[in-house]
Amino acid sequence: RRQGERRGLAAVMWFIFDGLGIALGLLTWVLLAFADWVVVRFVLLSWFRSSAPRVSWLPLSDVGIAVFTVYQLPLVLSWISHFRAMTTDPGTIPETCVPAEIQNPRTCKICQGRWKPPRAHHCKTCQKCIFRMDHHCPWINNCVGLSNQKLFILFLCYTAFSAIVTLLLLLGSAGYWLWSQKSWSEAAPPGSTALICSGVVAVECLAAVLFVGDFLQEQIESIQTNSTLVETYQRTHGERTTFLEHFQTVFGRSWYVWPWPFPSAPPPAYEEPAIPDDEGNVSVYGDDSDNLGIAGEESEARTAASRRGEGGARPRQRHENANGEID
């Protein structure tokens, strides 16, 4: 695997050359585009077609153009959020020297002895240590870390919202067709293409709401507890204050930048300690990458299962482990 990097003014841009991640990322774009095409072709054009449109390539009435524009907005924001989450450095450690204020610093054996902050973990797919690494998500072909967690959450939010709106439009279209028929027994059935495409999109959107909604809940819990997925297996967390302060650490201090898909998190606090959830956890600053399987062969799910067998606390449930594998 190779990775290309380019440093910009606001964030480091990169791309992970992983076959599975690239395939799933492209599939995400195809699903978004297909749902958009079905709604425009079989819903909006059925309701708002105009013989004299203001826009030549969009044969819709003024109301239809307004509905089209509103519908496109969350879809576009979802796509941009996905693209930015996929191409933004999730939180690699630029410093090679240990800051003077760090007590008992640790290093990453796989990264040739580079300094490893207490809340950083090595990803075997990205081949880098990621600060506040949550997990490696193949759907964005990237790790979810502090620098792109906002983008990942926005992608989940806009995708879930678009799926719900799409379902409502499909249901409204079906209800309108039933209501417009004078006699159901004599009504001509809808075209097979419209039925098949609408049915596929309805299933796609329903699955997206359930799947994305679960991930979104987990991300909100992660912010609330100031603990990543990796840290739940370690039974550690960061410094806990209020939900708002945790949220601003990910989304930034200014509320007006929160909805927009660009990184706005403040500079990372690399010196933030990993605090044990209980006194029995003594491996907070140790070399945890091999033990947890983040960079090794064992999956974190198996490691966590063995810990639960020893009486440890059960971590949060996820569909992906920290290696990017689907459970």
Side-chain angles (χ1 to χ4, degrees):
R1 299 184 180 96
R2 299 177 295 110
Q3 54 191 26
E5 301 182 17
R6 178 176 63 84
R7 291 190 177 274
L9 296 177
V12 175
M13 304 293 291
W14 75 352
F15 185 81
I16 301 298
F17 289 87
D18 178 68
L20 175 62
I22 294 174
L24 291 179
L26 292 176
L27 177 61
T28 301
W29 295 358
V30 170
L31 292 175
L32 288 173
F34 180 66
D36 188 19
W37 177 78
V38 169
V39 169
V40 173
R41 172 65 179 83
F42 298 111
V43 178
L44 299 186
L45 286 177
S46 298
W47 291 0
F48 305 110
R49 183 180 291 274
S50 173
S51 57
R54 290 181 180 270
V55 182
S56 59
W57 55 269
L58 190 62
L60 297 174
S61 64
D62 291 347
V63 175
I65 293 176
V67 174
F68 172 84
T69 303
V70 172
Y71 179 69
Q72 295 303 309
L73 181 61
L75 283 174
V76 171
L77 289 174
S78 174
W79 182 85
I80 295 176
S81 298
H82 183 272
F83 179 79
R84 294 302 304 274
M86 182 171 57
T87 58
T88 297
D89 182 344
T92 55
I93 316 301
E95 289 82 357
T96 57
C97 299
V98 181
E101 63 272 16
I102 300 295
Q103 300 293 329
N104 300 321
R106 61 176 185 166
T107 59
C108 178
K109 297 177 182 178
I110 304 175
C111 292
Q112 300 178 347
R114 290 175 62 94
W115 172 55
K116 188 175 183 180
R119 299 193 67 187
H121 307 280
H122 190 96
C123 174
K124 70 175 185 180
T125 304
C126 296
Q127 300 179 0
K128 293 283 185 82
C129 285
I130 308 298
F131 183 64
R132 286 181 56 167
M133 172 184 170
D134 188 81
H135 66 289
H136 186 93
C137 178
W139 291 97
I140 65 169
N141 189 35
N142 202 357
C143 271
V144 177
L146 178 63
S147 298
N148 69 342
Q149 186 178 12
K150 169 194 173 182
L151 303 171
F152 181 67
I153 293 175
L154 288 181
F155 164 66
L156 298 177
C157 290
Y158 289 129
T159 300
F161 180 77
S162 298
I164 292 172
V165 173
T166 300
L167 284 173
L168 292 177
L169 288 174
L170 291 176
L171 289 174
S173 179
Y176 175 78
W177 180 85
L178 292 174
W179 177 78
S180 63
Q181 303 304 314
K182 296 181 179 180
S183 173
W184 291 358
S185 60
E186 299 178 359
S192 57
T193 303
L195 283 176
I196 294 174
C197 291
S198 298
V200 170
V201 170
V203 173
E204 170 194 331
C205 290
L206 182 60
V209 170
L210 297 176
F211 184 72
V212 171
D214 183 57
F215 271 91
L216 184 58
Q217 178 184 356
E218 296 290 348
Q219 289 299 309
I220 294 174
E221 181 183 347
S222 174
I223 293 177
Q224 181 179 7
T225 60
N226 194 16
S227 178
T228 67
L229 174 61
V230 174
E231 291 172 337
T232 61
Y233 292 120
Q234 294 179 316
R235 292 177 289 181
T236 63
H237 59 271
E239 297 175 337
R240 288 176 176 170
T241 54
T242 64
F243 179 83
L244 178 60
E245 291 188 7
H246 296 168
F247 184 86
Q248 289 176 337
T249 301
V250 176
F251 279 74
R253 302 292 179 183
S254 302
W255 62 267
Y256 51 83
V257 302
W258 294 348
W260 308 116
F262 59 84
S264 56
Y270 292 127
E271 70 280 2
E272 182 182 6
I275 303 171
D277 291 341
D278 53 73
E279 296 181 357
N281 189 348
V282 296
S283 61
V284 178
Y285 295 96
D287 186 5
D288 54 354
S289 60
D290 293 331
N291 295 332
L292 284 175
I294 300 168
E297 297 179 354
E298 296 181 355
S299 69
E300 292 197 21
R302 284 166 45 192
T303 306
S306 65
R307 288 185 176 180
R308 290 198 297 270
E310 299 170 358
R314 183 175 182 177
R316 290 182 282 134
Q317 295 297 311
R318 290 289 179 94
H319 295 289
E320 294 175 86
N321 60 33
N323 293 323
E325 299 165 348
I326 305 298
D327 292 332

